[in-house]
mmCIF file with all atom_site columns, all heavy atoms in Angstrom:
data_model
loop_
_atom_site.group_PDB
_atom_site.id
_atom_site.type_symbol
_atom_site.label_atom_id
_atom_site.label_alt_id
_atom_site.label_comp_id
_atom_site.label_asym_id
_atom_site.label_entity_id
_atom_site.label_seq_id
_atom_site.pdbx_PDB_ins_code
_atom_site.Cartn_x
_atom_site.Cartn_y
_atom_site.Cartn_z
_atom_site.occupancy
_atom_site.B_iso_or_equiv
_atom_site.pdbx_formal_charge
_atom_site.auth_seq_id
_atom_site.auth_comp_id
_atom_site.auth_asym_id
_atom_site.auth_atom_id
_atom_site.pdbx_PDB_model_num
ATOM 1  N N   . THR A 1 187 ? 2.583  0.277   21.981 1.00 96.00 ? 454 THR A N   1
ATOM 2  C CA  . THR A 1 187 ? 2.918  -0.499  20.794 1.00 96.00 ? 454 THR A CA  1
ATOM 3  C C   . THR A 1 187 ? 3.193  -1.928  21.223 1.00 96.00 ? 454 THR A C   1
ATOM 4  O O   . THR A 1 187 ? 3.870  -2.160  22.225 1.00 96.00 ? 454 THR A O   1
ATOM 5  C CB  . THR A 1 187 ? 4.166  0.082   20.102 1.00 96.00 ? 454 THR A CB  1
ATOM 6  O OG1 . THR A 1 187 ? 3.948  1.460   19.811 1.00 96.00 ? 454 THR A OG1 1
ATOM 7  C CG2 . THR A 1 187 ? 4.479  -0.677  18.821 1.00 96.00 ? 454 THR A CG2 1
ATOM 8  N N   . LEU A 1 188 ? 2.663  -2.895  20.487 1.00 96.00 ? 455 LEU A N   1
ATOM 9  C CA  . LEU A 1 188 ? 2.756  -4.292  20.915 1.00 96.00 ? 455 LEU A CA  1
ATOM 10 C C   . LEU A 1 188 ? 3.226  -5.190  19.790 1.00 96.00 ? 455 LEU A C   1
ATOM 11 O O   . LEU A 1 188 ? 2.708  -5.124  18.671 1.00 96.00 ? 455 LEU A O   1
ATOM 12 C CB  . LEU A 1 188 ? 1.389  -4.773  21.410 1.00 96.00 ? 455 LEU A CB  1
ATOM 13 C CG  . LEU A 1 188 ? 1.241  -6.267  21.742 1.00 96.00 ? 455 LEU A CG  1
ATOM 14 C CD1 . LEU A 1 188 ? 2.144  -6.666  22.895 1.00 96.00 ? 455 LEU A CD1 1
ATOM 15 C CD2 . LEU A 1 188 ? -0.217 -6.592  22.067 1.00 96.00 ? 455 LEU A CD2 1
ATOM 16 N N   . LEU A 1 189 ? 4.217  -6.040  20.104 1.00 97.00 ? 456 LEU A N   1
ATOM 17 C CA  . LEU A 1 189 ? 4.574  -7.149  19.224 1.00 97.00 ? 456 LEU A CA  1
ATOM 18 C C   . LEU A 1 189 ? 4.089  -8.415  19.913 1.00 97.00 ? 456 LEU A C   1
ATOM 19 O O   . LEU A 1 189 ? 4.485  -8.710  21.040 1.00 97.00 ? 456 LEU A O   1
ATOM 20 C CB  . LEU A 1 189 ? 6.080  -7.204  18.973 1.00 97.00 ? 456 LEU A CB  1
ATOM 21 C CG  . LEU A 1 189 ? 6.508  -8.211  17.887 1.00 97.00 ? 456 LEU A CG  1
ATOM 22 C CD1 . LEU A 1 189 ? 7.775  -7.736  17.172 1.00 97.00 ? 456 LEU A CD1 1
ATOM 23 C CD2 . LEU A 1 189 ? 6.747  -9.603  18.457 1.00 97.00 ? 456 LEU A CD2 1
ATOM 24 N N   . LEU A 1 190 ? 3.232  -9.149  19.219 1.00 94.00 ? 457 LEU A N   1
ATOM 25 C CA  . LEU A 1 190 ? 2.546  -10.307 19.785 1.00 94.00 ? 457 LEU A CA  1
ATOM 26 C C   . LEU A 1 190 ? 2.870  -11.542 18.965 1.00 94.00 ? 457 LEU A C   1
ATOM 27 O O   . LEU A 1 190 ? 2.628  -11.576 17.760 1.00 94.00 ? 457 LEU A O   1
ATOM 28 C CB  . LEU A 1 190 ? 1.033  -10.044 19.765 1.00 94.00 ? 457 LEU A CB  1
ATOM 29 C CG  . LEU A 1 190 ? 0.085  -11.199 20.036 1.00 94.00 ? 457 LEU A CG  1
ATOM 30 C CD1 . LEU A 1 190 ? 0.044  -11.502 21.520 1.00 94.00 ? 457 LEU A CD1 1
ATOM 31 C CD2 . LEU A 1 190 ? -1.315 -10.890 19.520 1.00 94.00 ? 457 LEU A CD2 1
ATOM 32 N N   . THR A 1 191 ? 3.449  -12.564 19.593 1.00 92.00 ? 458 THR A N   1
ATOM 33 C CA  . THR A 1 191 ? 3.564  -13.853 18.923 1.00 92.00 ? 458 THR A CA  1
ATOM 34 C C   . THR A 1 191 ? 2.457  -14.742 19.448 1.00 92.00 ? 458 THR A C   1
ATOM 35 O O   . THR A 1 191 ? 2.097  -14.678 20.619 1.00 92.00 ? 458 THR A O   1
ATOM 36 C CB  . THR A 1 191 ? 4.928  -14.538 19.163 1.00 92.00 ? 458 THR A CB  1
ATOM 37 O OG1 . THR A 1 191 ? 4.947  -15.155 20.453 1.00 92.00 ? 458 THR A OG1 1
ATOM 38 C CG2 . THR A 1 191 ? 6.067  -13.531 19.060 1.00 92.00 ? 458 THR A CG2 1
ATOM 39 N N   . THR A 1 192 ? 1.902  -15.555 18.586 1.00 84.00 ? 459 THR A N   1
ATOM 40 C CA  . THR A 1 192 ? 0.790  -16.402 19.004 1.00 84.00 ? 459 THR A CA  1
ATOM 41 C C   . THR A 1 192 ? 0.662  -17.611 18.094 1.00 84.00 ? 459 THR A C   1
ATOM 42 O O   . THR A 1 192 ? 1.033  -17.568 16.925 1.00 84.00 ? 459 THR A O   1
ATOM 43 C CB  . THR A 1 192 ? -0.532 -15.616 19.013 1.00 84.00 ? 459 THR A CB  1
ATOM 44 O OG1 . THR A 1 192 ? -1.589 -16.474 19.432 1.00 84.00 ? 459 THR A OG1 1
ATOM 45 C CG2 . THR A 1 192 ? -0.862 -15.035 17.648 1.00 84.00 ? 459 THR A CG2 1
ATOM 46 N N   . GLN A 1 193 ? 0.148  -18.702 18.655 1.00 75.00 ? 460 GLN A N   1
ATOM 47 C CA  . GLN A 1 193 ? -0.222 -19.868 17.871 1.00 75.00 ? 460 GLN A CA  1
ATOM 48 C C   . GLN A 1 193 ? -1.721 -19.894 17.603 1.00 75.00 ? 460 GLN A C   1
ATOM 49 O O   . GLN A 1 193 ? -2.192 -20.725 16.835 1.00 75.00 ? 460 GLN A O   1
ATOM 50 C CB  . GLN A 1 193 ? 0.185  -21.150 18.609 1.00 75.00 ? 460 GLN A CB  1
ATOM 51 C CG  . GLN A 1 193 ? 1.689  -21.362 18.725 1.00 75.00 ? 460 GLN A CG  1
ATOM 52 C CD  . GLN A 1 193 ? 2.331  -21.784 17.420 1.00 75.00 ? 460 GLN A CD  1
ATOM 53 O OE1 . GLN A 1 193 ? 1.656  -21.978 16.418 1.00 75.00 ? 460 GLN A OE1 1
ATOM 54 N NE2 . GLN A 1 193 ? 3.645  -21.908 17.433 1.00 75.00 ? 460 GLN A NE2 1
ATOM 55 N N   . TYR A 1 194 ? -2.458 -18.992 18.273 1.00 77.00 ? 461 TYR A N   1
ATOM 56 C CA  . TYR A 1 194 ? -3.899 -18.913 18.056 1.00 77.00 ? 461 TYR A CA  1
ATOM 57 C C   . TYR A 1 194 ? -4.166 -17.918 16.937 1.00 77.00 ? 461 TYR A C   1
ATOM 58 O O   . TYR A 1 194 ? -4.069 -16.709 17.118 1.00 77.00 ? 461 TYR A O   1
ATOM 59 C CB  . TYR A 1 194 ? -4.616 -18.474 19.340 1.00 77.00 ? 461 TYR A CB  1
ATOM 60 C CG  . TYR A 1 194 ? -4.426 -19.411 20.500 1.00 77.00 ? 461 TYR A CG  1
ATOM 61 C CD1 . TYR A 1 194 ? -3.637 -19.062 21.586 1.00 77.00 ? 461 TYR A CD1 1
ATOM 62 C CD2 . TYR A 1 194 ? -5.047 -20.663 20.511 1.00 77.00 ? 461 TYR A CD2 1
ATOM 63 C CE1 . TYR A 1 194 ? -3.465 -19.928 22.659 1.00 77.00 ? 461 TYR A CE1 1
ATOM 64 C CE2 . TYR A 1 194 ? -4.876 -21.534 21.578 1.00 77.00 ? 461 TYR A CE2 1
ATOM 65 C CZ  . TYR A 1 194 ? -4.087 -21.162 22.650 1.00 77.00 ? 461 TYR A CZ  1
ATOM 66 O OH  . TYR A 1 194 ? -3.918 -22.023 23.707 1.00 77.00 ? 461 TYR A OH  1
ATOM 67 N N   . LEU A 1 195 ? -4.505 -18.430 15.762 1.00 77.00 ? 462 LEU A N   1
ATOM 68 C CA  . LEU A 1 195 ? -4.641 -17.555 14.608 1.00 77.00 ? 462 LEU A CA  1
ATOM 69 C C   . LEU A 1 195 ? -5.806 -16.591 14.764 1.00 77.00 ? 462 LEU A C   1
ATOM 70 O O   . LEU A 1 195 ? -5.751 -15.465 14.268 1.00 77.00 ? 462 LEU A O   1
ATOM 71 C CB  . LEU A 1 195 ? -4.788 -18.401 13.339 1.00 77.00 ? 462 LEU A CB  1
ATOM 72 C CG  . LEU A 1 195 ? -3.611 -19.347 13.063 1.00 77.00 ? 462 LEU A CG  1
ATOM 73 C CD1 . LEU A 1 195 ? -3.810 -20.064 11.742 1.00 77.00 ? 462 LEU A CD1 1
ATOM 74 C CD2 . LEU A 1 195 ? -2.294 -18.607 13.053 1.00 77.00 ? 462 LEU A CD2 1
ATOM 75 N N   . GLU A 1 196 ? -6.872 -17.018 15.464 1.00 82.00 ? 463 GLU A N   1
ATOM 76 C CA  . GLU A 1 196 ? -7.989 -16.096 15.675 1.00 82.00 ? 463 GLU A CA  1
ATOM 77 C C   . GLU A 1 196 ? -7.570 -14.935 16.575 1.00 82.00 ? 463 GLU A C   1
ATOM 78 O O   . GLU A 1 196 ? -8.144 -13.838 16.502 1.00 82.00 ? 463 GLU A O   1
ATOM 79 C CB  . GLU A 1 196 ? -9.198 -16.822 16.264 1.00 82.00 ? 463 GLU A CB  1
ATOM 80 C CG  . GLU A 1 196 ? -9.101 -17.198 17.732 1.00 82.00 ? 463 GLU A CG  1
ATOM 81 C CD  . GLU A 1 196 ? -8.383 -18.511 17.978 1.00 82.00 ? 463 GLU A CD  1
ATOM 82 O OE1 . GLU A 1 196 ? -7.719 -19.019 17.049 1.00 82.00 ? 463 GLU A OE1 1
ATOM 83 O OE2 . GLU A 1 196 ? -8.493 -19.030 19.096 1.00 82.00 ? 463 GLU A OE2 1
ATOM 84 N N   . GLU A 1 197 ? -6.551 -15.155 17.410 1.00 87.00 ? 464 GLU A N   1
ATOM 85 C CA  . GLU A 1 197 ? -6.039 -14.087 18.274 1.00 87.00 ? 464 GLU A CA  1
ATOM 86 C C   . GLU A 1 197 ? -5.410 -12.989 17.421 1.00 87.00 ? 464 GLU A C   1
ATOM 87 O O   . GLU A 1 197 ? -5.665 -11.797 17.631 1.00 87.00 ? 464 GLU A O   1
ATOM 88 C CB  . GLU A 1 197 ? -5.013 -14.671 19.237 1.00 87.00 ? 464 GLU A CB  1
ATOM 89 C CG  . GLU A 1 197 ? -4.558 -13.735 20.328 1.00 87.00 ? 464 GLU A CG  1
ATOM 90 C CD  . GLU A 1 197 ? -3.909 -14.521 21.452 1.00 87.00 ? 464 GLU A CD  1
ATOM 91 O OE1 . GLU A 1 197 ? -4.652 -14.931 22.372 1.00 87.00 ? 464 GLU A OE1 1
ATOM 92 O OE2 . GLU A 1 197 ? -2.687 -14.737 21.419 1.00 87.00 ? 464 GLU A OE2 1
ATOM 93 N N   . ALA A 1 198 ? -4.592 -13.379 16.475 1.00 88.00 ? 465 ALA A N   1
ATOM 94 C CA  . ALA A 1 198 ? -3.992 -12.399 15.569 1.00 88.00 ? 465 ALA A CA  1
ATOM 95 C C   . ALA A 1 198 ? -5.068 -11.711 14.737 1.00 88.00 ? 465 ALA A C   1
ATOM 96 O O   . ALA A 1 198 ? -5.008 -10.508 14.485 1.00 88.00 ? 465 ALA A O   1
ATOM 97 C CB  . ALA A 1 198 ? -2.974 -13.079 14.652 1.00 88.00 ? 465 ALA A CB  1
#
Side-chain angles (χ1 to χ4, degrees):
T454 305
L455 173 63
L456 189 150
L457 168 77
T458 79
T459 180
Q460 292 286 357
Y461 299 109
L462 301 184
E463 74 275 14
E464 189 162 271

